[in-house]
Amino acid sequence: MTALKARLTDNAAWTTASPAVSVLIPFLRDDPSDLLRLLDQEAATVDGAVEIVVLDDGTADAELTARLVRQVKAMALPVRLITLPANEGRAIGRNRLASTARGGSLLFLDSDMRPDHSRFLADWAKLVATEDPAVAFGGFSLLQAPTDARYQVHRSMAARSECVPCAERARQPEKYVYTSNLLVRRDVFDSEAFDPGFTGWGWEDVEWAMRVSRRFRVVHLDNPATHMGLDTVEALARKYEQSAPNFARMVERHPGIVAAYPSYRAAKLLKTIPGLPLLRGLVRRMAGTDALPVATRAFCLRLYRATLYADAV
């Protein structure tokens, strides 16, 4: 694949910075300005240890770009904005961010995350200075996430599967690794980059963690950020539809590990059921029915995902 021509915007602090931690923020059609503002409030407390690299992965919004350029140039933290004319994809984009970063540790942070406290960057920088872990995950929360009724199904699902306490995550460290609020030491990333064969949405972070956990220790800590980007049922269903080929790729590469996943066991069972397309349509409609309890709708959406994966495995 031919590399896309990128537009680079650096602020004044970027040129002379020697960071230990590079915060890597990819986005597509989102606005990362609130996250950048919150991170920049910690500039005085991290004492030059942190830089930020932001990747616009093909949003093609001239107004947003102009606004971000102004914001980046005014920031106290060292910042580089990379603007691409077209989308490269999540895995390739993260690899591009890593190749631009100068820190010895890379902190992947999605643009729809918000730190849950005012020492977020300082705590990450302190961890790197004192322990220099190979891989560390700080955790997700829903503390600041929207509470609109249209997001209640996603909120329910995220609370169950993603917003897991640190002690519980540490018992299965390789399972609870997501590419947001994830710290990776540079030598680890250089030896195990994200697989560019994963396209669209889903599973590239889990597959990466499977490879990494075989060679390096994964640390979990309590330094959470809120996942602000809750989706409606319709949006989640579309993402699950995109993710089926990625799930199949992961199964092909790591059959022994994936065999223990509930999503895989459910998909294999559903594959044997006659009339699977009818069931898929039914649970999809039930997930979108506002009159049903949130727990029921969340179960139906998980079952819908399993029916999609049944065709992939």
Side-chain angles (χ1 to χ4, degrees), residues 22-33 35-36 39 52-59 64 68 80-84 87-98 106-114 178-182 194 204:
S22 297
V23 183
L24 309 183
I25 305 174
F27 75 94
L28 175 63
R29 292 187 291 275
D30 290 325
D31 184 348
S33 57
L35 174 59
L36 293 175
L39 294 177
I52 299 176
V53 187
V54 188
L55 174 69
D56 179 350
D57 197 7
T59 298
L64 174 60
L68 287 175
R80 165 169 284 181
L81 170 65
I82 305 171
T83 306
L84 297 179
N87 179 251
E88 282 189 325
R90 289 159 61 96
I92 296 174
R94 288 191 175 103
N95 290 341
R96 180 190 281 271
L97 280 165
L106 313 174
L107 177 61
F108 292 93
L109 193 63
D110 282 350
S111 61
D112 60 0
M113 304 296 288
R114 300 291 181 272
Y178 307 97
T179 47
S180 192
N181 205 14
L182 176 69
F194 291 102
E204 80 282 349

Side-chain angles (χ1 to χ4, degrees), residues 141-190:
S141 86
L142 294 168
L143 184 64
Q144 306 171 67
T147 57
D148 310 42
R150 58 182 172 157
Y151 300 132
Q152 286 306 301
V153 173
H154 193 183
R155 173 180 276 273
S156 172
M157 296 173 71
R160 171 177 170 170
S161 63
E162 296 179 2
C163 302
V164 179
C166 179
E168 183 177 343
R169 285 187 270 121
R171 287 195 288 268
Q172 291 181 286
E174 75 288 342
K175 181 178 180 181
Y176 297 103
V177 173
Y178 307 97
T179 47
S180 192
N181 205 14
L182 176 69
L183 185 86
V184 185
R185 204 170 59 215
R186 177 174 292 280
D187 63 294
V188 176
F189 190 84
D190 287 345

Side-chain angles (χ1 to χ4, degrees):
M1 179 181 293
T2 303
L4 298 174
K5 179 68 173 178
R7 172 186 173 186
L8 305 181
T9 301
D10 301 338
N11 69 354
W14 176 268
T15 304
T16 58
S18 299
V21 180
S22 297
V23 183
L24 309 183
I25 305 174
F27 75 94
L28 175 63
R29 292 187 291 275
D30 290 325
D31 184 348
S33 57
D34 285 346
L35 174 59
L36 293 175
R37 176 181 54 79
L38 291 170
L39 294 177
D40 204 43
Q41 290 175 2
E42 292 196 57
T45 63
V46 296
D47 194 26
V50 178
E51 70 176 5
I52 299 176
V53 187
V54 188
L55 174 69
D56 179 350
D57 197 7
T59 298
D61 183 334
E63 181 179 346
L64 174 60
T65 299
R67 186 154 39 84
L68 287 175
V69 166
R70 291 194 296 271
Q71 181 177 9
V72 163
K73 289 185 175 180
M75 289 175 66
L77 286 171
V79 187
R80 165 169 284 181
L81 170 65
I82 305 171
T83 306
L84 297 179
N87 179 251
E88 282 189 325
R90 289 159 61 96
I92 296 174
R94 288 191 175 103
N95 290 341
R96 180 190 281 271
L97 280 165
S99 69
T100 301
R102 299 171 296 182
S105 292
L106 313 174
L107 177 61
F108 292 93
L109 193 63
D110 282 350
S111 61
D112 60 0
M113 304 296 288
R114 300 291 181 272
D116 281 346
H117 60 96
S118 60
R119 286 192 53 81
F120 178 76
L121 291 181
D123 283 357
W124 277 121
K126 180 180 178 181
L127 180 71
V128 169
T130 57
E131 300 181 31
D132 196 23
V135 181
F137 181 63
F140 286 168
S141 86
L142 294 168
L143 184 64
Q144 306 171 67
T147 57
D148 310 42
R150 58 182 172 157
Y151 300 132
Q152 286 306 301
V153 173
H154 193 183
R155 173 180 276 273
S156 172
M157 296 173 71
R160 171 177 170 170
S161 63
E162 296 179 2
C163 302
V164 179
C166 179
E168 183 177 343
R169 285 187 270 121
R171 287 195 288 268
Q172 291 181 286
E174 75 288 342
K175 181 178 180 181
Y176 297 103
V177 173
Y178 307 97
T179 47
S180 192
N181 205 14
L182 176 69
L183 185 86
V184 185
R185 204 170 59 215
R186 177 174 292 280
D187 63 294
V188 176
F189 190 84
D190 287 345
S191 65
E192 295 285 357
F194 291 102
D195 179 358
F198 284 82
T199 59
W201 184 88
W203 296 108
E204 80 282 349
D205 48 0
V206 177
E207 190 278 333
W208 176 86
M210 288 177 182
R211 286 184 277 121
V212 167
S213 63
R214 291 170 176 157
R215 302 174 55 192
F216 302 98
R217 180 175 176 234
V218 178
V219 174
H220 285 269
L221 69 152
D222 187 20
N223 190 16
T226 294
H227 177 208
M228 300 292 291
L230 296 180
D231 286 315
T232 63
V233 167
E234 292 292 333
L236 268 182
R238 288 193 296 270
K239 287 183 175 180
Y240 292 156
E241 290 156 8
Q242 293 177 31
S243 74
N246 284 352
F247 185 77
R249 184 177 180 86
M250 185 178 65
V251 170
E252 180 183 4
R253 290 177 165 239
H254 308 278
I257 300 177
V258 181
Y261 278 37
S263 52
Y264 177 79
R265 295 199 300 268
K268 293 294 285 186
L269 177 62
L270 288 167
K271 195 175 184 70
T272 66
I273 296 177
L276 182 60
L278 294 177
L279 175 63
R280 180 182 298 134
L282 174 63
V283 295
R284 174 69 180 77
R285 288 191 296 274
M286 291 177 67
T289 301
D290 293 341
L292 291 175
V294 169
T296 301
R297 298 175 67 196
F299 172 78
C300 289
L301 194 54
R302 287 193 296 270
L303 187 56
Y304 176 68
R305 178 178 59 191
T307 65
L308 295 168
Y309 291 175
D311 284 344
V313 301

